[in-house]
């Protein structure tokens, strides 16, 4: 644990009473949080400004809220800028991601403690209160350290008056445990789905969509209700750092020497228990990359789908930022096939080029293009043998890796994304030859983005058939990945709580005419 998380808690919490009550609460805190240790900072220093780790977390929260930044991109930059490393970097990471994930629950707690609607609180102060509340209710940070360090940030970044307000609210938050606050905020809510949304800090519409997806893929209503909390909890736990070993570009020894371990989920997947993957030379030169195991599984399934006739031209229609294209390029190199990696955005196309460096240096025949994927089928009809459509989506399957995304999306996004997803799948089916295969994938289990899209396109066209993709999803042992759908389903849905992957959906379609 970071030294920043082990500061001396100091005197008993403010509020009503002291003496025996304070002693009882001290003992309760020690049972809940563990023994106290002394701070490396003097009280006067803590009062003037926040420490670098907490300051980094606060800056990331402001960038996410104010500028629409993505935490997974913003945080590494801020850590480097502040020269925060090691345990303090781990502390800042947990503080940032945990605060973002649980802000829905924390906002209700803060509103109770402040006795006002959070819309009446300025955004910078709101972020400070969320940071402090996560330390009090979600981390093993002593109460005094959580409050005093957050007050220092308020004085540094906002004003002296804001520091007083933050101090008063956080002291009230610290008067109760997380379980006690849950009882208070859940008490007026009777609907089970709405209660689950608050308890596990998800928007209610997302929870209802996840429940519907569980049922759509074979669960009964009662089974979905029982399984739903487990899924929501999985979204609030950071997934393992998973690497992809791009076949033919690097030997497993290079990962073993770096401390990585083979993942049972996918044949190409490795997990790195600790450390920065950026320090590995194989990562820097594109022979290894950070990639979710579910993403690897569906890419391997497309490459392993049986074909008759030629197998020379592959297409990744929506390639950015390049993870799946990187694996496809390595596989294509081993088969003697070429790969076109297409991306509509020039900036994202540059990211694709960067991640393909390892395969290109090894001799892979790869072309990166910048085109609207909806036009490719018309421009190059029937040219490709294998096509991947990793369609833009709400990303509801990646909530554990993208902590802010649950709060950015809304049901209205589906109205925009649905037509785009259908047009991209249509274009891919036009671009593939008769007898060729198209993999349609999303990082979302929402049925409006998955099964409904596939069925709409398939029924309207009449020249495609579904292929059993579930039989092609194989773990490291060679066994078929279990629990990806109900009996008879030909498409597959992965789940964070079942498979320890992102919630990827994939369907495989063969062009028949």
């Amino acid at each position: 644990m970071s030294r920043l998380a082990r500061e001396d808690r100091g005197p008993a919490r403010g509020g009503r009473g002291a003496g025996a009550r304070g002693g009882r609460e001290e003992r309760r805190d020690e049972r809940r949080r563990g023994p106290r240790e002394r701070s490396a900072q003097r009280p006067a220093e803590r009062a003037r400004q926040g420490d670098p780790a907490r300051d980094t977390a606060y800056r990331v929260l402001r960038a996410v809220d104010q500028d629409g930044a993505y935490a997974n991109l913003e945080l590494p930059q801020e850590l480097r800028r502040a020269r925060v490393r090691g345990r303090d970097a781990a502390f800042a990471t947990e503080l940032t991601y945990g605060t973002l994930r649980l802000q829905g629950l924390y906002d209700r707690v803060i509103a109770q403690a402040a006795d006002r609607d959070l819309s009446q609180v300025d955004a910078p102060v709101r972020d400070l209160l969320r940071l402090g509340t996560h330390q009090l209710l979600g981390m093993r940070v002593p109460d005094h350290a959580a409050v005093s360090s957050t007050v220092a940030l308020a004085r540094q970044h906002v004003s002296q008056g804001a520091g007083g307000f933050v101090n008063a609210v956080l002291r009230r938050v610290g008067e109760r445990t997380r379980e006690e606050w849950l009882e208070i905020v859940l008490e007026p809510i009777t609907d089970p789905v709405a209660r689950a949304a608050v308890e596990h800090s998800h928007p209610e519409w997302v929870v209802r969509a996840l429940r519907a997806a569980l049922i759509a893929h074979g669960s009964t209503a009662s089974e979905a209700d029982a399984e739903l909390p487990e899924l929501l909890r999985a979204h609030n736990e950071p997934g393992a750092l998973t690497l992809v070993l791009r076949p033919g570009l690097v030997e497993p020894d290079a990962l073993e020497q770096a401390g990585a371990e083979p993942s049972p989920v996918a044949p190409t997947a490795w997990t790195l228990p600790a450390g920065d993957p950026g320090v590995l030379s194989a990562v820097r030169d594109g022979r290894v990359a950070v990639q979710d195991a579910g993403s690897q599984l569906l890419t391997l399934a497309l490459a392993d789908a049986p074909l008759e006739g030629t197998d020379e031209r592959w297409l990744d229609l929506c390639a950015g930022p390049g993870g799946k294209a990187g694996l496809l390029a390595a596989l294509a190199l081993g088969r003697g096939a070429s790969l076109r990696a297409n991306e509509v955005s020039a900036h994202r196309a540059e990211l694709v080029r960067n991640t393909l460096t390892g395969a290109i240096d090894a001799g892979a025949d790869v072309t990166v293009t910048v085109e609207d994927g909806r036009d490719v089928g018309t421009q190059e009809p029937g040219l490709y043998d294998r096509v991947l459509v990793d369609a833009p989506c709400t990303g509801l399957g990646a909530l554990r890796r993208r902590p802010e995304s649950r709060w950015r999306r809304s049901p209205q996004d589906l109205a925009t994304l649905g037509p785009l997803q259908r047009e991209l799948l249509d274009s891919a089916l036009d671009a593939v030859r008769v007898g060729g295969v198209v993999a349609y994938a999303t990082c979302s289990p929402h049925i409006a983005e998955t099964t409904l899209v596939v069925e709409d396109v398939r029924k309207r066209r009449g020249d495609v058939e579904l292929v059993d993709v579930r039989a092609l999803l194989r773990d490291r042992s060679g066994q078929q990945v279990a629990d990806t759908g109900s009996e008879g389903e030909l498409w597959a849905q992965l789940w964070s709580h079942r498979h320890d992957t992102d919630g990827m959906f994939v369907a495989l379609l063969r062009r028949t005419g």
Side-chain angles (χ1 to χ4, degrees):
M1 181 178 296
S2 166
R3 65 177 176 79
L4 299 168
R6 300 196 302 255
E7 294 170 345
D8 180 27
R9 178 148 49 94
R13 287 190 298 264
R16 299 181 303 275
R21 176 179 179 274
R24 287 195 300 270
E25 292 190 353
E26 285 281 317
R27 289 190 293 273
R28 182 186 69 182
D29 280 347
E30 289 186 3
R31 288 194 300 269
R32 191 175 78 210
R33 308 181 194 280
R36 294 171 287 166
E37 296 184 38
R38 291 217 176 266
S39 171
Q41 292 178 298
R42 293 187 296 274
E45 292 174 335
R46 292 200 304 268
R48 282 199 299 267
Q49 62 181 8
D51 59 74
R54 290 180 172 95
D55 185 65
T56 295
Y58 173 72
R59 290 178 184 275
V60 174
L61 291 193
R62 293 306 304 133
V64 168
D65 180 63
Q66 194 170 22
D67 305 325
Y70 293 93
N72 65 322
L73 301 179
E74 190 74 17
L75 180 60
Q77 297 178 31
E78 284 292 335
L79 290 172
R80 286 193 294 270
R81 182 196 62 79
R83 299 181 180 179
V84 176
R85 302 182 182 90
R87 291 183 176 182
D88 289 346
F91 179 84
T93 300
E94 162 54 21
L95 184 53
T96 303
Y97 283 11
T99 300
L100 287 169
R101 289 188 185 102
L102 297 173
Q103 75 177 45
L105 170 62
Y106 292 158
D107 283 358
R108 288 177 177 261
V109 172
I110 293 166
Q112 288 274 349
D115 195 24
R116 69 180 67 179
D117 192 283
L118 283 194
S119 63
Q120 301 173 17
V121 179
D122 290 342
V125 177
R126 192 163 58 235
D127 280 338
L128 288 164
L129 290 170
R130 289 166 177 166
L131 276 177
T133 299
H134 184 54
Q135 293 173 70
L136 287 166
L137 303 184
M139 300 176 72
R140 288 176 57 85
V141 178
D143 288 14
H144 177 72
V147 174
S148 63
S149 61
T150 311
V151 170
L153 285 174
R155 291 169 176 162
Q156 177 184 348
H157 289 285
V158 187
S159 68
Q160 189 75 18
F165 176 70
V166 167
N167 179 67
V169 174
L170 291 183
R171 284 185 177 277
R172 293 190 192 106
V173 171
E175 290 174 357
R176 294 182 174 91
T177 66
R178 176 171 171 166
E179 291 71 25
E180 290 168 341
W181 276 117
L182 269 176
E183 288 184 17
I184 292 170
V185 299
L186 292 177
E187 193 275 332
I189 306 173
T190 56
D191 179 75
V193 174
R195 286 177 64 89
V198 172
E199 180 176 359
H200 300 288
S201 195
H202 286 61
E204 187 176 332
W205 77 271
V206 171
V207 178
R208 294 193 184 279
L210 294 172
R211 181 180 183 274
L214 286 168
I215 294 172
H217 289 287
S219 297
T220 65
S222 60
E223 288 170 341
D225 289 336
E227 192 173 1
L228 189 58
E230 186 180 355
L231 172 58
L232 301 179
R233 281 193 292 270
H235 288 165
N236 289 335
E237 294 292 333
L241 178 59
T242 306
L243 304 175
V244 56
L245 186 153
R246 292 170 173 169
L249 304 186
V250 64
E251 294 299 323
D253 290 354
L255 290 180
E256 290 176 351
Q257 292 170 6
E261 302 168 354
S263 166
V265 181
T268 52
W270 292 67
T271 57
L272 190 63
D276 178 6
V279 304
L280 304 180
S281 61
V283 171
R284 293 195 300 272
D285 61 24
R287 293 174 293 136
V288 173
V290 177
Q291 186 178 10
D292 177 73
S295 175
Q296 297 179 48
L297 281 172
L298 69 89
T299 306
L300 294 169
L302 171 61
D304 290 342
L307 285 183
E308 293 183 4
T310 62
D311 190 12
E312 301 172 352
R313 295 185 178 91
W314 297 6
L315 168 66
D316 186 348
L317 193 64
C318 312
K324 299 177 184 67
L327 181 52
L328 282 174
L331 296 168
L333 174 62
R335 309 263 190 94
S338 66
L339 172 69
R340 175 186 176 186
N342 182 71
E343 173 54 44
V344 69
S345 161
H347 168 69
R348 287 168 64 85
E350 191 60 31
L351 296 177
V352 176
R353 288 189 185 92
N354 291 338
T355 196
L356 292 176
T357 301
I360 293 172
D361 289 347
D365 183 0
V366 177
T367 304
V368 179
T369 59
V370 181
E371 297 281 352
D372 189 326
R374 293 171 291 185
D375 299 330
V376 172
T378 302
Q379 295 168 351
E380 298 181 326
L383 184 66
Y384 296 97
D385 302 298
R386 301 180 191 269
V387 181
L388 171 62
V389 186
D390 183 18
C393 66
T394 57
L396 298 184
L399 297 185
R400 63 180 187 166
R401 288 193 299 110
R402 300 172 187 164
E404 70 284 334
S405 62
R406 70 185 73 179
W407 311 116
R408 286 186 174 164
R409 290 300 190 180
S410 73
Q412 287 70 40
D413 293 325
L414 299 169
T416 302
L417 290 166
L420 174 61
Q421 292 158 350
R422 287 164 173 80
E423 290 177 61
L424 288 168
L425 180 52
D426 255 328
S427 179
L429 290 166
D430 289 339
V432 78
R433 67 169 173 84
V434 174
V437 292
V438 172
Y440 173 81
T442 66
C443 192
S444 169
H446 199 302
I447 58 175
E449 304 185 89
T450 58
T451 58
L452 294 183
V453 171
V454 172
E455 283 296 86
D456 283 354
V457 173
R458 186 180 68 84
K459 290 177 180 178
R460 175 169 45 77
R461 291 184 61 106
D463 63 347
V464 296
E465 63 181 8
L466 280 170
V467 178
D468 184 6
V469 73
R470 295 172 65 193
L472 298 169
L473 296 176
R474 301 282 173 172
D475 63 20
R476 184 173 291 275
S477 71
Q479 296 297 307
Q480 181 176 328
V481 177
D483 299 324
T484 59
S486 59
E487 186 176 355
E489 280 188 357
L490 300 180
W491 44 53
Q493 178 65 59
L494 298 171
W495 299 96
S496 297
H497 66 300
R498 293 181 187 176
H499 305 106
D500 194 22
T501 68
D502 286 349
M504 303 294 302
F505 169 88
V506 60
L508 198 62
L509 302 97
R510 188 185 308 279
R511 176 88 177 269
T512 59

